[in-house]
């Protein structure tokens, strides 16, 4: 069949890009939900019987939603320019509207943060993403999680699974900003636990996983700790995606 070149803002192309990116995000196990920035290129190959195959090149940016949240990209906030990760996804998707089929055949995404030198030239005081594995960020995540464990209504303690993003900025003193995954442990909050890291994680089929954002600001005299977490159960993951598919 002929290979057509529809406009990137054509309704069929916009729908194909939306469905492709939704399935790309659902397939990814690490990182953040990707949001569509623009469609760079679109080719359409009508099939002999019905439907079309779309060959897409999409410019994308990451959002503040972790992929484990399984949120739709349109429901996620994009990041400030200085902390955005930009990328491009190439995708091939078959769409058959008559039979309500959208099958992502293959995709490949390449992501890259904005180099720090460009950020500093425009905004010298903006925090720049740093290596999450540094001890100061691991400590900041532990302090932020300790606040969550004290204040949450969860029945079990959670431990840090891994730090996914980190940055530092000088405010009244060094301020550390972290994003990290947490996992439910076997230690009950009714018990006194001296060291959360010694608690065994619950089996994967029953353990809750969470995503947190936290900060630790040191003023020299005082220390200010913030935390904000979302908890996902094993049953949660695909609900939003499934609801969208059901509505379609």
């Amino acid at each position: 069949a002929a290979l057509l070149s529809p406009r990137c803002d054509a309704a069929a192309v916009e729908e194909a890009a939306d469905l492709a990116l939704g399935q790309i995000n659902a397939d990814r196990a690490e990182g953040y939900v990707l949001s569509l920035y623009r469609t760079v290129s679109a080719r359409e190959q009508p099939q002999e019987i019905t439907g079309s195959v779309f060959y897409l090149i999409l410019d994308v940016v990451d959002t503040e939603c972790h992929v484990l949240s399984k949120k739709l990209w349109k429901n996620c906030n994009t990041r400030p320019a200085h902390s955005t990760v930009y990328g491009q996804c190439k995708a091939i998707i078959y769409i058959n509207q008559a039979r309500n089929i959208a099958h992502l055949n293959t995709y490949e995404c390449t992501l890259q943060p904005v180099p720090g030198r460009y950020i500093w030239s425009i905004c010298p005081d903006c925090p720049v993403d740093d290596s999450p594995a540094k001890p100061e960020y691991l400590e900041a995540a532990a302090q932020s999680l300790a606040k969550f464990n004290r204040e949450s209504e969860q029945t079990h303690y959670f431990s840090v699974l891994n730090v996914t993003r980190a940055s530092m900025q000088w405010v009244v003193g060094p301020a550390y900003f972290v994003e990290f995954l947490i996992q439910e442990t076997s230690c009950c909050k009714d018990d006194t636990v001296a060291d959360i890291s010694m608690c065994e994680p619950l089996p994967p089929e029953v353990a809750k996983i969470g995503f947190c954002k936290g900060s630790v600001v040191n003023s020299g005299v005082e220390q200010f700790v913030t935390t904000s977490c979302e908890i996902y159960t094993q049953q949660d993951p695909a609900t939003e995606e499934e609801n969208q598919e059901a509505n379609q």
Side-chain angles (χ1 to χ4, degrees):
L3 197 61
L4 309 178
S5 299
R7 290 171 56 91
C8 288
D9 60 356
V13 173
E14 290 183 343
E15 180 186 26
D18 179 34
L19 292 170
L21 193 54
Q23 293 191 29
I24 288 171
N25 283 322
D27 184 62
R28 297 172 66 234
E30 297 179 352
Y32 295 84
V33 172
L34 301 176
S35 175
L36 181 63
Y37 182 69
R38 65 181 172 186
T39 300
V40 178
S41 171
R43 299 288 185 270
E44 179 182 0
Q45 188 173 35
Q47 301 301 287
E48 290 182 5
I49 302 174
T50 181
S52 291
V53 174
F54 289 87
Y55 301 84
L56 306 171
I57 300 178
L58 311 174
D59 278 348
V60 297
V61 294
D62 72 343
T63 68
E64 295 183 349
C65 299
H66 196 277
V67 292
L68 292 183
S69 71
K70 297 299 181 183
K71 291 182 179 179
L72 300 177
W73 66 268
K74 289 182 177 179
N75 296 339
C76 294
N77 295 325
T78 54
R79 294 179 180 273
H82 70 268
S83 62
T84 297
V85 171
Y86 295 83
Q88 194 170 80
C89 293
K90 297 178 180 179
I92 302 174
I93 186 170
Y94 168 70
I95 296 178
N96 184 330
Q97 289 184 325
R99 297 178 60 190
N100 194 24
I101 296 173
H103 177 71
L104 185 67
N105 294 331
T106 184
Y107 74 93
E108 180 183 8
C109 294
T110 305
L111 305 174
Q112 185 174 358
V114 177
R117 61 182 181 276
Y118 294 125
I119 298 173
W120 289 321
S121 66
I122 299 170
C123 180
D125 295 328
C126 287
V128 176
D129 282 355
D130 200 358
S131 170
K134 288 185 176 179
E136 54 265 40
Y137 298 123
L138 299 177
E139 176 61 25
Q143 290 179 268
S144 181
L145 178 61
K147 179 178 174 65
F148 171 78
N149 277 328
R150 286 195 304 270
E151 299 175 355
S152 81
E153 296 180 357
Q154 298 292 324
T155 56
H156 290 81
Y157 287 103
F158 281 73
S159 62
V160 175
L161 187 57
N162 66 306
V163 179
T164 57
R165 203 151 184 171
S167 60
M168 194 274 275
Q169 185 179 28
W170 195 268
V171 189
V172 292
Y176 302 99
F177 305 95
V178 287
E179 297 178 10
F180 54 99
L181 292 173
I182 59 176
Q183 60 183 347
E184 189 178 16
T185 72
S186 56
C187 294
C188 183
K189 289 186 69 175
D190 290 337
D191 303 326
T192 302
V193 179
D195 186 359
I196 301 297
S197 65
M198 301 302 291
C199 297
E200 290 289 330
L202 287 175
E205 61 271 13
V206 297
K208 295 177 182 177
I209 299 293
F211 174 66
C212 301
K213 297 178 182 179
S215 67
V216 177
V217 181
N218 299 287
S219 68
V221 182
E222 251 183 299
Q223 189 176 70
F224 304 92
V225 179
T226 68
T227 187
S228 174
C229 298
E230 291 183 344
I231 304 299
Y232 315 123
T233 63
Q234 294 300 320
Q235 290 74 33
D236 279 339
T239 50
E240 192 171 10
E241 194 76 31
E242 286 170 353
N243 287 339
Q244 188 200 42
E245 291 175 1
N247 291 336
Q248 289 174 350

